[in-house]
Every structure is written in structure tokens, then in C-alpha cells.
Amino acid sequence: MAIEGISQQNTIAKGTTITGDVVGEGDFRIEGTVEGNIKTPGKIVIGRTGVVNGTLKSANADIEGSFSGKLVLTDTLSLKSSAVVEGEAEVGKLAVEPGATFNATCAMKGSNNGERKNTQETQKSA
């Protein structure tokens, strides 16, 4: 008997636009556009062509494309060099590659029962 875990990945393809809330149990990969809120206990990847405007709630997020709004992550936000993020972020951990644009108010929730608040602004280099 095999026990099937949630290993599905939902993909929003390039050229697709979704307006409204998206809720799922699996991971998401976004190459298209989402105008609204996304919620999943899994991981969200916003690809190079992906654009999200709204609230994103998940455990982890990798961003290569564009995000504007509020990020609420229980674990790690990873910004690749092509990422453009604006708005608010509440994360456990933050990883930013050189070249990423991160114009956001960032609250980092540590595992030490304390809360550290940082305002980070990193501009993309030409």
C-alpha cells in the first residue's frame, strides 16, 4: 500500500491571467499573471514571466518575476537576481541574490520567540 502525499504542482502558464483568489493544497508555479490572493501550505514559485499583484500566503516562495502586495510566509522567501518585489513581507528567513529589487517593509519572525523588524531596500544594478 502506498500513501500518496501532496506532490502536485499547479501551474499558471505564460499568457494566462487569473483575477480573484486562488487556494490550493499543493505547490504553485506561476508564469502568467495573478490579480488577487494566493494561499497554500506549500511552496510558490513566481517564474521570470510571472506577475502577482495581491496577497501571497504560503510556507516558502521563490521569486524570479514580479510581485506587488503582501507576502506572508512561515519559512523562506528567496529572491532571484531577476526578482522585483514591492510592498510588505512577513517571513521566517530571507535570501536575496545580487541584482534583485526588494522595495518592501520586511518583518522577520525568528525562531527565538522574538521579532526582528528590518526595512530593506535593494535596487537592481544596471
Side-chain angles (χ1 to χ4, degrees):
M1 250 170 89
I3 298 174
E4 185 178 328
I6 298 174
S7 60
Q8 302 168 342
Q9 182 178 44
N10 299 292
T11 302
I12 299 170
K14 183 178 178 181
T16 301
T17 300
I18 294 178
T19 303
D21 295 347
V22 179
V23 179
E25 291 296 318
D27 296 343
F28 283 90
R29 178 164 188 93
I30 301 165
E31 293 291 347
T33 301
V34 176
E35 298 282 342
N37 305 317
I38 304 171
K39 184 177 180 180
T40 181
K43 180 177 183 176
I44 297 175
V45 176
I46 300 175
R48 282 190 178 265
T49 60
V51 177
V52 176
N53 295 310
T55 299
L56 190 152
K57 293 183 179 181
S58 70
N60 298 292
D62 287 356
I63 301 177
E64 297 177 73
S66 177
F67 176 85
S68 178
K70 184 173 183 179
L71 285 161
V72 180
L73 305 176
T74 57
D75 199 5
T76 304
L77 170 61
S78 178
L79 302 179
K80 306 302 182 187
S81 61
S82 57
V84 177
V85 175
E86 296 182 352
E88 299 176 48
E90 183 179 305
V91 301
K93 298 175 195 160
L94 176 64
V96 182
E97 286 185 0
T101 300
F102 185 60
N103 292 322
T105 302
C106 183
M108 296 183 71
K109 306 280 185 176
S111 60
N112 57 359
N113 295 333
E115 182 178 303
R116 298 173 303 197
K117 290 196 176 203
N118 298 311
T119 300
Q120 306 251 343
E121 291 195 16
T122 307
Q123 293 296 322
K124 189 172 185 178
S125 308

